[in-house]
Amino acid sequence: SAIDDATDTQAGRPLAPDIADTVRRECLRAEDPGKLIDAGRALGERRAFDAAIELHQAAVARLPHSFNARLSLLTSLQFAGRFKEV
């Protein structure tokens, strides 16, 4: 799966845009908040920040009171340098 391809890429190394996009689309279709958070973290660790942020925003929308979803979103925004959105 695309998620396996993403996690096979060493953390800290950029992820191919097509893999990041496929992971993003697959996870948004699944509607599993835990999967959104985990995949978003994996994407963020591989510098696919826009996709990570989108997944974390979707997780927050599905679970607005989730500390993990909100913390993951804030972390992705910070690593992306999008400080005004924090």
Side-chain angles (χ1 to χ4, degrees), residues 3-18:
I3 295 172
D4 293 330
D5 291 340
T7 56
D8 285 345
T9 302
Q10 182 180 3
R13 294 196 179 262
L15 189 62
D18 60 319

Side-chain angles (χ1 to χ4, degrees), residues 2 11 18 24 36 39 45 47 54 65-67 78 82:
D18 60 319
R24 181 190 59 77
L36 292 169
E45 289 172 357
R47 301 182 190 171
E54 186 175 358
H65 301 292
S66 169
F67 178 78
Q78 288 179 331
R82 293 166 58 174

